[in-house]
Amino acid sequence: MTCDEAVRAIEAMLDREIDDDERMQLEAHLAECETCRRETEERRAFSDRIGRDLNDAFPPSTRATPRIVIRPRRSNWVRAAAVILVGFAVGYVGSSTGVFRPASAEAREVAKLSALKDAYQDRSRELADRVEREATALDTRAAQAPDGPRRDAVALCVMKVANGMAGADALELPPEPEKRARKVAEYMSTANLARRGLAIQALRTLPATDMPLVERQIVNLKGTNRTFTELYVLSFKSPTEPVVVMELNGGDLRFTQLANATLRVEAKTASATAAAAPRIYEGLNMLEFRARHPDISKLLDLKGSDGNFTVAGVTQRATAVQCRPVAYMPAVVWSGQERESGRIVEALSVHAVMAECARAGGTVEEAERQGLEVMRRVQEVSTTVYGSVTPDPERVRYHLTRVRNLDSAGLALTRERLHDDVAALERRVIEWQGRLECLHQAAVTLDYQPK
Amino acid sequence: MPADESRLVADLRAGRREAFDRMVELHYDRLHRLACTMTGQSEDAADLVQETFLAAMKSAGNFRGEARLTTWLIAICRNQYTLHLRGRRKWRHASLEAAGNARAPEPAPAIRPEVVQILERVHRLPEELRTALVLFYLEGMRYQEIAESMECPVGTIRSRLFEARERLKRMMEGDRP
């Protein structure tokens, strides 16, 4: 979309008459074009002003002062004029007795809904701006942080937000593997979150044979983009050989952790037949296993994180276990906005802090303590209140001047449409709040200092 | 068309007096606002609205109810205004006293200077642009409804609104010292 096209689309958007396709193109353009973003605000202000001034010029109370016109040259219409006169009289009496004025309860409800819609649109825009701003700031800070589990966690959180902003259009990739790897890297390296989201989704469609080419592009990336791509490539290399294998409980339980952090417990069943298959419990990594299988974890007295844990009172340290959170990637990045992200980001933060503690030589107990501590701090962020969305009384009055002339059928139709619009906007605001929350939680993890 | 309006249209076509009263009651404000922006004068606007209702009454039997009543009335109002511009309609006003009506007009409320300015500029716009603007901002109509009222495609309304705002902006910039 060119700037000229964007300007016309901006007007349609401000008039709430833009279709979804055009809106997406416009949003992509606005994300990149500072001039058009300014233009949007200027045109919004101008349009509001026209609406306000025109409505001020015709306030409801000064309208409808019908005059009686004597039209001698149309004597055959005197009868008709008399009918109108009656109409005016009805209108006047109605207005003076309050039958037709002030605005009906229905009109007030529609005006209130219109103002609520405006408020949701304002909140949505405000949150979108904040998400872009804060993601950029967090990106810069993460790029300056040392390589390590916490930087990995922040990269996954930022990319989760970017993934949610990608929209429905897919990035068109050239057929040549090298060119498509380059195009993905090019989109991945932009500051714009929606474009990075497109790159993330394109990355998922690449075959495993493209990964060496993607890996070669990593040198062209920096900050969280680089970290995320490294993690993605790593997930393809993920080694699967067993690193820790333990027989427990007289051979009834077999505990295994693979090099890619996958954890598996096989439990012999108490079946009469010796050939009965063992029951298998699996998790993507230690923390995921503990969350998914609390009973067996309690039975084994499982504590700690990947490669640094105690099981049945025995401490295990295995540096060969992959501690980078590749196992979390599907849960964190690929999950849609409808999924609750808070718990996943929380787990990612705990994982990062515990892994860092283990890397620094900390004990399992110390890692557990720090993990709990960072979880509490992240949970405090998730309870942040963003404030309710309420209609501005000024806007209610403004909309009242626009809708009070609608008849009851028109009001009912408008009310239905507004209910749908408000519900859709409410969902959008919740999505933006979720993204902002995710970034705030990532910031807490990045800044975490153990007591 | 909503059921209430279908009934009203049927009654109008049947020439029922109550239906005309109801039509005037429902649509007077809307037409008066539009007429004010067309004529630039409240008195002329009242005459234009009256001409519109008279014409509507005359042709109610031919109204097939395919469009909304509002749309139909706005189209009539625009036609009446065009006839006036071509000199085929002369509005003659009689004083309220002459009409035997004791109710004196209320003094107009004070209007902010910037509102007066924007009204003047709106009035300088060509009729197509001005009407599209007024129907959008004052009546809160959607593009589709305006297109039906002005008997043109929706895309044309989008262009007209764009053009109207551009011209207003240019006028305001031209006014700056």
Side-chain angles (χ1 to χ4, degrees):
Chain A
M1 182 176 268
T2 64
C3 288
D4 281 348
E5 290 165 341
V7 166
R8 286 178 179 271
I10 286 165
E11 296 251 316
M13 179 186 72
L14 296 175
D15 291 347
R16 290 147 200 163
E17 293 276 2
I18 193 169
D19 62 37
D20 289 345
D21 285 350
E22 196 177 15
R23 175 185 293 279
M24 276 174 46
Q25 287 179 41
L26 177 62
E27 283 174 352
H29 179 84
L30 289 179
E32 290 177 349
C33 182
E34 171 67 28
T35 311
C36 285
R37 283 203 296 274
R38 269 202 309 274
E39 188 75 27
T40 305
E41 290 318 307
E42 283 170 14
R43 283 178 184 268
R44 189 194 313 283
F46 186 62
S47 183
D48 284 350
R49 186 188 158 184
I50 297 173
R52 198 172 49 243
D53 286 352
L54 281 176
N55 277 283
D56 281 356
F58 298 98
S61 58
T62 60
R63 279 186 261 137
T65 49
R67 299 176 310 106
I68 297 130
V69 179
I70 302 294
R71 303 182 56 85
R73 68 191 175 89
R74 287 193 179 189
S75 55
N76 53 331
W77 282 104
V78 168
R79 232 177 108 86
V83 173
I84 290 185
L85 219 164
V86 171
F88 290 160
V90 169
Y92 173 68
V93 171
S95 66
S96 61
T97 57
V99 175
F100 306 123
R101 298 287 180 273
S104 66
E106 273 176 314
R108 281 199 298 274
E109 189 195 344
V110 168
K112 201 171 171 185
L113 269 173
S114 299
L116 187 62
K117 182 178 168 184
D118 291 348
Y120 268 111
Q121 278 177 325
D122 290 347
R123 176 63 61 90
S124 182
R125 275 193 293 271
E126 177 201 327
L127 286 170
D129 287 347
R130 276 185 69 184
V131 165
E132 284 284 352
R133 248 189 351 261
E134 294 193 20
T136 306
L138 189 60
D139 228 13
T140 310
R141 290 208 295 130
Q144 290 161 357
D147 273 341
R150 283 196 284 163
R151 182 168 151 165
D152 290 348
V154 172
L156 287 181
C157 288
V158 171
M159 291 315 218
K160 176 181 173 55
V161 170
N163 186 52
M165 290 168 61
D169 281 346
L171 181 61
E172 274 187 36
L173 294 175
E176 300 87 348
E178 277 206 32
K179 283 187 183 170
R180 63 186 177 220
R182 211 162 37 236
K183 184 156 186 185
V184 168
E186 183 194 320
Y187 269 68
M188 188 70 83
S189 63
T190 59
N192 178 259
L193 283 176
R195 280 166 75 94
R196 280 154 69 175
L198 284 176
I200 294 168
Q201 292 183 0
L203 201 58
R204 287 182 79 184
T205 66
L206 298 185
T209 50
D210 277 11
M211 284 311 115
L213 300 169
V214 172
E215 193 171 10
R216 275 166 51 189
Q217 291 294 330
I218 286 176
V219 292
N220 297 320
L221 303 171
K222 59 181 179 183
T224 53
N225 302 334
R226 182 180 185 136
T227 306
F228 173 78
T229 312
E230 280 171 1
L231 287 170
Y232 189 76
V233 171
L234 195 64
S235 69
F236 279 82
K237 291 181 179 172
S238 184
T240 54
E241 69 274 9
V243 176
V244 180
V245 181
M246 295 171 74
E247 297 281 346
L248 301 164
N249 212 15
D252 286 347
L253 292 167
R254 186 183 170 83
F255 176 97
T256 310
Q257 182 155 40
L258 306 182
N260 67 5
T262 301
L263 204 142
R264 171 188 285 203
V265 173
E266 294 169 45
K268 282 185 185 165
T269 53
S271 168
T273 56
R279 187 154 184 202
I280 294 175
Y281 304 89
E282 280 187 324
L284 292 170
N285 56 29
M286 180 67 74
L287 287 181
E288 210 252 347
F289 184 94
R290 288 171 64 181
R292 185 188 284 193
H293 309 294
D295 292 342
I296 194 83
S297 298
K298 195 174 177 187
L299 181 74
L300 293 171
D301 195 20
L302 210 51
K303 286 180 187 156
S305 57
D306 303 321
N308 181 36
F309 56 86
T310 61
V311 53
V314 180
T315 300
Q316 291 284 354
R317 275 188 180 268
T319 50
V321 175
Q322 179 58 257
C323 282
R324 298 193 76 179
V326 288
Y328 274 120
M329 195 175 278
V332 177
V333 179
W334 310 144
S335 65
Q337 286 297 325
E338 74 280 1
R339 289 270 304 274
E340 187 195 1
S341 66
R343 304 291 298 177
I344 301 169
V345 177
E346 213 172 87
L348 189 64
S349 301
V350 174
H351 176 274
V353 166
M354 289 179 79
E356 203 166 79
C357 180
R359 188 184 277 193
T363 63
V364 169
E365 288 72 24
E366 179 58 15
E368 286 275 317
R369 192 192 66 73
Q370 290 188 12
L372 281 173
E373 194 182 358
V374 79
M375 186 166 73
R376 271 196 297 274
R377 292 191 197 175
V378 166
Q379 281 171 344
E380 281 168 18
V381 171
S382 63
T383 58
T384 304
V385 176
Y386 292 94
S388 58
V389 178
T390 51
D392 175 5
E394 272 295 311
R395 297 295 293 174
V396 176
R397 278 195 286 278
Y398 165 71
H399 284 293
L400 200 54
T401 64
R402 295 172 63 119
V403 303
R404 66 186 307 156
N405 288 327
L406 291 178
D407 57 21
S408 59
L411 284 171
L413 200 69
T414 311
R415 190 175 56 226
E416 286 306 304
R417 202 169 58 201
L418 284 168
H419 272 302
D420 290 347
D421 290 352
V422 168
L425 282 164
E426 195 177 2
R427 282 195 297 276
R428 194 181 298 176
V429 163
I430 290 168
E431 278 178 13
W432 284 117
Q433 286 182 344
R435 288 169 190 149
L436 203 55
E437 194 173 278
C438 182
L439 293 174
H440 288 174
Q441 288 173 332
V444 165
T445 308
L446 189 65
D447 295 336
Y448 172 75
Q449 293 293 332
K451 279 182 185 169
Chain B
M1 183 184 290
D4 285 358
E5 192 167 309
S6 297
R7 272 197 300 278
L8 180 59
V9 168
D11 289 347
L12 282 172
R13 293 181 64 186
R16 294 204 174 89
R17 177 182 144 171
E18 298 80 7
F20 288 110
D21 293 349
R22 179 78 180 136
M23 178 175 73
V24 171
E25 176 200 315
L26 286 174
H27 296 283
Y28 185 88
D29 274 10
R30 169 172 284 170
L31 287 180
H32 189 259
R33 275 153 71 111
L34 176 62
C36 276
T37 60
M38 283 176 167
T39 63
Q41 303 232 0
S42 182
E43 287 197 342
D44 286 349
D47 286 340
L48 175 56
V49 174
Q50 182 143 326
E51 289 289 348
T52 302
F53 280 124
L54 289 170
M57 288 165 64
K58 194 175 170 186
S59 56
N62 300 326
F63 179 47
R64 287 171 295 179
E66 286 168 354
R68 295 289 303 266
L69 198 53
T70 314
T71 308
W72 181 60
L73 287 171
I74 289 170
I76 294 174
C77 185
R78 293 185 71 218
N79 285 339
Q80 291 299 314
Y81 182 64
T82 309
L83 290 173
H84 166 68
L85 290 181
R86 289 176 188 162
R88 289 172 58 184
R89 286 278 186 279
K90 301 289 179 201
W91 298 327
R92 296 180 58 196
H93 310 135
S95 69
L96 291 173
E97 291 73 19
N101 190 321
R103 186 173 178 241
E106 291 170 9
I111 299 180
R112 287 185 284 121
E114 54 269 38
V115 174
V116 173
Q117 275 178 358
I118 204 145
L119 277 180
E120 283 169 0
R121 289 175 189 129
V122 167
H123 195 64
R124 274 153 58 192
L125 292 173
E127 191 273 329
E128 289 93 353
L129 305 188
R130 188 171 60 222
T131 302
L133 201 73
V134 167
L135 294 181
F136 181 77
Y137 282 109
L138 281 182
E139 305 310 330
M141 284 185 167
R142 307 286 300 224
Y143 284 4
Q144 180 65 42
E145 294 169 302
I146 302 172
E148 284 167 13
S149 297
M150 298 183 74
E151 296 165 327
C152 63
V154 173
T156 306
I157 296 305
R158 179 169 157 163
S159 304
R160 282 180 185 174
L161 282 170
F162 182 82
E163 185 60 28
R165 290 174 188 132
E166 289 295 298
R167 289 196 189 196
L168 282 177
K169 256 180 22 180
R170 282 201 295 272
M171 285 181 212
M172 289 171 81
E173 282 161 8
D175 290 347
R176 279 182 199 150

